[in-house]
Amino acid sequence: DVYNPSTNSWSTVPAMPTPRVAAAGGLIGGKLYVVGGRNGSTYYNSVEVYDPLTNAWTSTAGMPAARGGLGVGVINGALYATGGRNAATAALVTNERLTP
């Protein structure tokens, strides 16, 4: 669901294509980018983008490493994914940058 502060109301939007927890997201150019996450013991490298103008999700090129529980920051139009973990490692020390 999406909250609209102008109308103080919630509305339903389409579900993300990949159900998951421990993902992270950031806004770039008015679109929400959701990266990584996991479903049970499966960790994802996927990147999915929600565009409120079309009310639709699309998938884009995945990150090089699957990771859940990661941190994300957006700086100068680029999304940085850092840390987290995957199924093979207790903790990841790598960083990745997405520039749409």
Side-chain angles (χ1 to χ4, degrees):
D1 291 345
V2 172
Y3 177 70
N4 182 336
S6 299
T7 61
N8 190 31
S9 63
W10 288 87
S11 59
T12 300
V13 298
M16 287 181 3
T18 307
R20 58 188 133 172
V21 298
L27 291 172
I28 302 173
K31 297 177 182 179
L32 174 63
Y33 288 75
V34 177
V35 299
R38 67 178 178 81
N39 189 340
S41 62
T42 302
Y43 287 77
Y44 297 109
N45 72 331
S46 60
V47 177
E48 295 171 346
V49 184
Y50 176 72
D51 184 343
L53 296 179
T54 62
N55 193 34
W57 288 91
T58 56
S59 295
T60 186
M63 298 182 295
R67 58 180 74 218
L70 64 155
V72 162
V74 175
I75 303 168
N76 295 327
L79 185 141
Y80 293 85
T82 185
R85 61 171 289 140
N86 65 24
T89 295
L92 295 170
V93 296
T94 57
N95 303 300
E96 299 172 8
R97 181 179 71 189
L98 168 72
T99 52

